[in-house]
Amino acid sequence: LILTEFNLYFNQGYELIKDDMKMVEEINKVTDNKKKYDELVAKRKEIFAKALPDFEKAYSINPNDTNTKSILKLTYEILGQTEKAKAIN
């Protein structure tokens, strides 16, 4: 049951950020357009902010899962929460 709950939270978070590589590619294409760049970066942060509670919950259930640790650390970094990112080993 715990594994099911873990998977539920992890998958909910992942579903929100699954297209992140496309978003990063789009951001990289508009580096010369500051307004569009800032809009896309803000949108990316918003998506990660929505996914954060799910990743935190998954991590609280299974703190040894390497995928969860990596994605939670990345999420913290994107959101500028560097101290929290550093705390994940």
Side-chain angles (χ1 to χ4, degrees):
L1 189 60
I2 290 173
L3 182 59
T4 301
E5 185 181 10
F6 164 78
N7 285 328
L8 174 73
Y9 285 110
F10 183 86
N11 290 335
Q12 281 179 176
Y14 185 77
E15 190 64 29
L16 291 168
I17 65 159
K18 69 181 181 184
D19 294 327
D20 186 55
M21 287 305 298
K22 291 178 189 173
M23 173 82 63
V24 170
E25 288 173 8
E26 200 174 331
I27 289 169
N28 289 335
K29 288 179 186 176
V30 297
T31 55
D32 57 339
N33 181 340
K34 181 160 175 40
K35 183 180 179 196
K36 184 69 173 171
Y37 176 87
D38 290 345
E39 287 174 9
L40 290 174
V41 168
K43 182 178 177 184
R44 183 177 187 229
K45 284 183 180 182
E46 183 180 311
I47 291 168
F48 273 87
K50 286 180 184 175
L52 179 60
D54 291 320
F55 292 137
E56 287 178 327
K57 186 66 177 176
Y59 181 73
S60 74
I61 295 168
N62 187 358
N64 297 317
D65 182 71
T66 54
N67 287 332
T68 304
K69 289 191 325 188
S70 295
I71 206 160
L72 181 58
K73 189 171 188 167
L74 172 69
T75 302
Y76 283 142
E77 289 169 353
I78 289 170
L79 297 175
Q81 299 178 17
T82 55
E83 291 305 312
K84 286 185 176 182
K86 289 178 189 176
I88 296 177
N89 298 325

mmCIF file of all heavy atoms in Angstrom, residues 21-45:
data_model
loop_
_atom_site.group_PDB
_atom_site.id
_atom_site.type_symbol
_atom_site.label_atom_id
_atom_site.label_comp_id
_atom_site.label_asym_id
_atom_site.label_seq_id
_atom_site.Cartn_x
_atom_site.Cartn_y
_atom_site.Cartn_z
ATOM 1 N N MET A 21 11.747 19.046 -20.938
ATOM 2 C CA MET A 21 12.809 19.175 -21.953
ATOM 3 C C MET A 21 12.334 20.045 -23.121
ATOM 4 O O MET A 21 13.103 20.849 -23.643
ATOM 5 C CB MET A 21 13.261 17.800 -22.452
ATOM 6 C CG MET A 21 14.093 17.047 -21.433
ATOM 7 S SD MET A 21 15.552 17.954 -20.828
ATOM 8 C CE MET A 21 16.470 18.165 -22.319
ATOM 9 N N LYS A 22 11.083 19.890 -23.513
ATOM 10 C CA LYS A 22 10.533 20.740 -24.576
ATOM 11 C C LYS A 22 10.511 22.199 -24.129
ATOM 12 O O LYS A 22 10.815 23.098 -24.906
ATOM 13 C CB LYS A 22 9.111 20.292 -24.936
ATOM 14 C CG LYS A 22 9.045 18.959 -25.622
ATOM 15 C CD LYS A 22 7.599 18.563 -25.893
ATOM 16 C CE LYS A 22 7.514 17.135 -26.388
ATOM 17 N NZ LYS A 22 6.145 16.672 -26.511
ATOM 18 N N MET A 23 10.156 22.423 -22.864
ATOM 19 C CA MET A 23 10.119 23.779 -22.318
ATOM 20 C C MET A 23 11.528 24.375 -22.323
ATOM 21 O O MET A 23 11.708 25.530 -22.713
ATOM 22 C CB MET A 23 9.552 23.756 -20.902
ATOM 23 C CG MET A 23 9.605 25.066 -20.171
ATOM 24 S SD MET A 23 8.285 26.233 -20.532
ATOM 25 C CE MET A 23 6.845 25.375 -19.987
ATOM 26 N N VAL A 24 12.509 23.598 -21.920
ATOM 27 C CA VAL A 24 13.894 24.081 -21.900
ATOM 28 C C VAL A 24 14.359 24.412 -23.319
ATOM 29 O O VAL A 24 15.009 25.443 -23.544
ATOM 30 C CB VAL A 24 14.832 23.050 -21.228
ATOM 31 C CG1 VAL A 24 16.291 23.414 -21.416
ATOM 32 C CG2 VAL A 24 14.495 22.928 -19.747
ATOM 33 N N GLU A 25 14.018 23.577 -24.273
ATOM 34 C CA GLU A 25 14.375 23.848 -25.675
ATOM 35 C C GLU A 25 13.738 25.157 -26.149
ATOM 36 O O GLU A 25 14.376 25.953 -26.828
ATOM 37 C CB GLU A 25 13.934 22.690 -26.573
ATOM 38 C CG GLU A 25 14.762 21.445 -26.391
ATOM 39 C CD GLU A 25 14.212 20.257 -27.168
ATOM 40 O OE1 GLU A 25 13.271 20.419 -27.985
ATOM 41 O OE2 GLU A 25 14.725 19.138 -26.938
ATOM 42 N N GLU A 26 12.489 25.350 -25.784
ATOM 43 C CA GLU A 26 11.780 26.575 -26.160
ATOM 44 C C GLU A 26 12.438 27.794 -25.511
ATOM 45 O O GLU A 26 12.630 28.833 -26.154
ATOM 46 C CB GLU A 26 10.313 26.468 -25.726
ATOM 47 C CG GLU A 26 9.395 27.411 -26.447
ATOM 48 C CD GLU A 26 7.933 27.187 -26.095
ATOM 49 O OE1 GLU A 26 7.540 26.047 -25.765
ATOM 50 O OE2 GLU A 26 7.180 28.177 -26.143
ATOM 51 N N ILE A 27 12.801 27.663 -24.242
ATOM 52 C CA ILE A 27 13.484 28.754 -23.538
ATOM 53 C C ILE A 27 14.802 29.075 -24.229
ATOM 54 O O ILE A 27 15.129 30.247 -24.443
ATOM 55 C CB ILE A 27 13.705 28.380 -22.051
ATOM 56 C CG1 ILE A 27 12.369 28.377 -21.301
ATOM 57 C CG2 ILE A 27 14.693 29.329 -21.391
ATOM 58 C CD1 ILE A 27 12.434 27.769 -19.909
ATOM 59 N N ASN A 28 15.549 28.050 -24.594
ATOM 60 C CA ASN A 28 16.844 28.258 -25.241
ATOM 61 C C ASN A 28 16.726 28.926 -26.613
ATOM 62 O O ASN A 28 17.650 29.602 -27.052
ATOM 63 C CB ASN A 28 17.604 26.938 -25.358
ATOM 64 C CG ASN A 28 18.105 26.443 -24.025
ATOM 65 O OD1 ASN A 28 18.319 27.222 -23.098
ATOM 66 N ND2 ASN A 28 18.287 25.139 -23.910
ATOM 67 N N LYS A 29 15.596 28.756 -27.266
ATOM 68 C CA LYS A 29 15.378 29.359 -28.587
ATOM 69 C C LYS A 29 15.092 30.855 -28.507
ATOM 70 O O LYS A 29 15.231 31.556 -29.510
ATOM 71 C CB LYS A 29 14.208 28.670 -29.304
ATOM 72 C CG LYS A 29 14.518 27.284 -29.781
ATOM 73 C CD LYS A 29 13.294 26.680 -30.451
ATOM 74 C CE LYS A 29 13.523 25.233 -30.818
ATOM 75 N NZ LYS A 29 12.321 24.600 -31.371
ATOM 76 N N VAL A 30 14.664 31.335 -27.346
ATOM 77 C CA VAL A 30 14.244 32.739 -27.238
ATOM 78 C C VAL A 30 15.152 33.559 -26.315
ATOM 79 O O VAL A 30 14.726 34.575 -25.781
ATOM 80 C CB VAL A 30 12.772 32.861 -26.778
ATOM 81 C CG1 VAL A 30 11.827 32.232 -27.787
ATOM 82 C CG2 VAL A 30 12.569 32.264 -25.395
ATOM 83 N N THR A 31 16.383 33.138 -26.172
ATOM 84 C CA THR A 31 17.281 33.859 -25.263
ATOM 85 C C THR A 31 17.511 35.305 -25.682
ATOM 86 O O THR A 31 17.852 36.142 -24.850
ATOM 87 C CB THR A 31 18.645 33.144 -25.135
ATOM 88 O OG1 THR A 31 19.203 32.968 -26.442
ATOM 89 C CG2 THR A 31 18.494 31.803 -24.441
ATOM 90 N N ASP A 32 17.299 35.600 -26.948
ATOM 91 C CA ASP A 32 17.489 36.975 -27.420
ATOM 92 C C ASP A 32 16.239 37.845 -27.226
ATOM 93 O O ASP A 32 16.279 39.051 -27.436
ATOM 94 C CB ASP A 32 17.913 36.979 -28.891
ATOM 95 C CG ASP A 32 16.929 36.269 -29.803
ATOM 96 O OD1 ASP A 32 16.142 35.436 -29.307
ATOM 97 O OD2 ASP A 32 16.954 36.550 -31.019
ATOM 98 N N ASN A 33 15.147 37.236 -26.808
ATOM 99 C CA ASN A 33 13.896 37.956 -26.561
ATOM 100 C C ASN A 33 13.614 37.894 -25.057
ATOM 101 O O ASN A 33 12.987 36.959 -24.558
ATOM 102 C CB ASN A 33 12.759 37.308 -27.361
ATOM 103 C CG ASN A 33 11.428 38.001 -27.178
ATOM 104 O OD1 ASN A 33 11.211 38.732 -26.212
ATOM 105 N ND2 ASN A 33 10.525 37.751 -28.100
ATOM 106 N N LYS A 34 14.094 38.900 -24.331
ATOM 107 C CA LYS A 34 14.028 38.878 -22.874
ATOM 108 C C LYS A 34 12.610 38.694 -22.345
ATOM 109 O O LYS A 34 12.385 37.934 -21.402
ATOM 110 C CB LYS A 34 14.641 40.149 -22.290
ATOM 111 C CG LYS A 34 14.613 40.148 -20.765
ATOM 112 C CD LYS A 34 15.590 41.097 -20.169
ATOM 113 C CE LYS A 34 15.512 41.208 -18.670
ATOM 114 N NZ LYS A 34 15.295 39.999 -17.910
ATOM 115 N N LYS A 35 11.644 39.370 -22.939
ATOM 116 C CA LYS A 35 10.264 39.271 -22.460
ATOM 117 C C LYS A 35 9.746 37.833 -22.571
ATOM 118 O O LYS A 35 9.200 37.287 -21.614
ATOM 119 C CB LYS A 35 9.359 40.228 -23.237
ATOM 120 C CG LYS A 35 7.930 40.213 -22.744
ATOM 121 C CD LYS A 35 7.052 41.165 -23.515
ATOM 122 C CE LYS A 35 5.626 41.080 -22.982
ATOM 123 N NZ LYS A 35 4.651 41.656 -23.860
ATOM 124 N N LYS A 36 9.913 37.242 -23.729
ATOM 125 C CA LYS A 36 9.446 35.867 -23.950
ATOM 126 C C LYS A 36 10.227 34.889 -23.071
ATOM 127 O O LYS A 36 9.654 33.965 -22.485
ATOM 128 C CB LYS A 36 9.593 35.487 -25.435
ATOM 129 C CG LYS A 36 9.058 34.137 -25.775
ATOM 130 C CD LYS A 36 7.553 34.089 -25.664
ATOM 131 C CE LYS A 36 7.008 32.779 -26.177
ATOM 132 N NZ LYS A 36 5.595 32.599 -25.906
ATOM 133 N N TYR A 37 11.535 35.110 -22.950
ATOM 134 C CA TYR A 37 12.386 34.273 -22.115
ATOM 135 C C TYR A 37 11.893 34.295 -20.664
ATOM 136 O O TYR A 37 11.710 33.243 -20.044
ATOM 137 C CB TYR A 37 13.837 34.760 -22.206
ATOM 138 C CG TYR A 37 14.794 34.027 -21.309
ATOM 139 C CD1 TYR A 37 15.404 32.854 -21.743
ATOM 140 C CD2 TYR A 37 15.100 34.494 -20.028
ATOM 141 C CE1 TYR A 37 16.286 32.169 -20.922
ATOM 142 C CE2 TYR A 37 15.975 33.817 -19.207
ATOM 143 C CZ TYR A 37 16.570 32.658 -19.656
ATOM 144 O OH TYR A 37 17.447 31.986 -18.842
ATOM 145 N N ASP A 38 11.661 35.490 -20.152
ATOM 146 C CA ASP A 38 11.193 35.631 -18.770
ATOM 147 C C ASP A 38 9.831 34.973 -18.565
ATOM 148 O O ASP A 38 9.576 34.353 -17.529
ATOM 149 C CB ASP A 38 11.137 37.104 -18.359
ATOM 150 C CG ASP A 38 12.521 37.714 -18.199
ATOM 151 O OD1 ASP A 38 13.519 36.965 -18.124
ATOM 152 O OD2 ASP A 38 12.601 38.958 -18.159
ATOM 153 N N GLU A 39 8.955 35.093 -19.548
ATOM 154 C CA GLU A 39 7.637 34.456 -19.466
ATOM 155 C C GLU A 39 7.763 32.935 -19.377
ATOM 156 O O GLU A 39 7.089 32.296 -18.569
ATOM 157 C CB GLU A 39 6.791 34.814 -20.692
ATOM 158 C CG GLU A 39 6.273 36.230 -20.713
ATOM 159 C CD GLU A 39 5.565 36.562 -22.022
ATOM 160 O OE1 GLU A 39 5.325 35.655 -22.861
ATOM 161 O OE2 GLU A 39 5.253 37.746 -22.222
ATOM 162 N N LEU A 40 8.618 32.375 -20.226
ATOM 163 C CA LEU A 40 8.779 30.923 -20.249
ATOM 164 C C LEU A 40 9.449 30.407 -18.977
ATOM 165 O O LEU A 40 9.068 29.357 -18.447
ATOM 166 C CB LEU A 40 9.571 30.493 -21.490
ATOM 167 C CG LEU A 40 8.838 30.659 -22.815
ATOM 168 C CD1 LEU A 40 9.762 30.356 -23.984
ATOM 169 C CD2 LEU A 40 7.605 29.762 -22.875
ATOM 170 N N VAL A 41 10.445 31.137 -18.485
ATOM 171 C CA VAL A 41 11.103 30.740 -17.243
ATOM 172 C C VAL A 41 10.100 30.780 -16.085
ATOM 173 O O VAL A 41 10.060 29.869 -15.253
ATOM 174 C CB VAL A 41 12.336 31.632 -16.961
ATOM 175 C CG1 VAL A 41 12.851 31.428 -15.546
ATOM 176 C CG2 VAL A 41 13.438 31.343 -17.977
ATOM 177 N N ALA A 42 9.268 31.799 -16.052
ATOM 178 C CA ALA A 42 8.246 31.907 -15.002
ATOM 179 C C ALA A 42 7.241 30.758 -15.115
ATOM 180 O O ALA A 42 6.839 30.180 -14.098
ATOM 181 C CB ALA A 42 7.537 33.253 -15.091
ATOM 182 N N LYS A 43 6.867 30.422 -16.329
ATOM 183 C CA LYS A 43 5.926 29.322 -16.550
ATOM 184 C C LYS A 43 6.548 28.002 -16.076
ATOM 185 O O LYS A 43 5.882 27.183 -15.441
ATOM 186 C CB LYS A 43 5.549 29.235 -18.028
ATOM 187 C CG LYS A 43 4.544 28.160 -18.344
ATOM 188 C CD LYS A 43 4.176 28.173 -19.814
ATOM 189 C CE LYS A 43 3.225 27.038 -20.142
ATOM 190 N NZ LYS A 43 2.920 26.954 -21.560
ATOM 191 N N ARG A 44 7.837 27.817 -16.379
ATOM 192 C CA ARG A 44 8.533 26.600 -15.956
ATOM 193 C C ARG A 44 8.561 26.510 -14.423
ATOM 194 O O ARG A 44 8.298 25.457 -13.857
ATOM 195 C CB ARG A 44 9.945 26.592 -16.521
ATOM 196 C CG ARG A 44 10.713 25.329 -16.200
ATOM 197 C CD ARG A 44 12.085 25.335 -16.855
ATOM 198 N NE ARG A 44 12.725 24.056 -16.674
ATOM 199 C CZ ARG A 44 13.969 23.902 -16.227
ATOM 200 N NH1 ARG A 44 14.706 24.968 -15.943
ATOM 201 N NH2 ARG A 44 14.491 22.707 -16.088
ATOM 202 N N LYS A 45 8.868 27.611 -13.778
ATOM 203 C CA LYS A 45 8.904 27.625 -12.313
ATOM 204 C C LYS A 45 7.524 27.315 -11.742
ATOM 205 O O LYS A 45 7.397 26.614 -10.741
ATOM 206 C CB LYS A 45 9.409 28.974 -11.796
ATOM 207 C CG LYS A 45 10.899 29.141 -11.944
ATOM 208 C CD LYS A 45 11.351 30.459 -11.361
ATOM 209 C CE LYS A 45 12.851 30.622 -11.498
ATOM 210 N NZ LYS A 45 13.327 31.870 -10.909
#
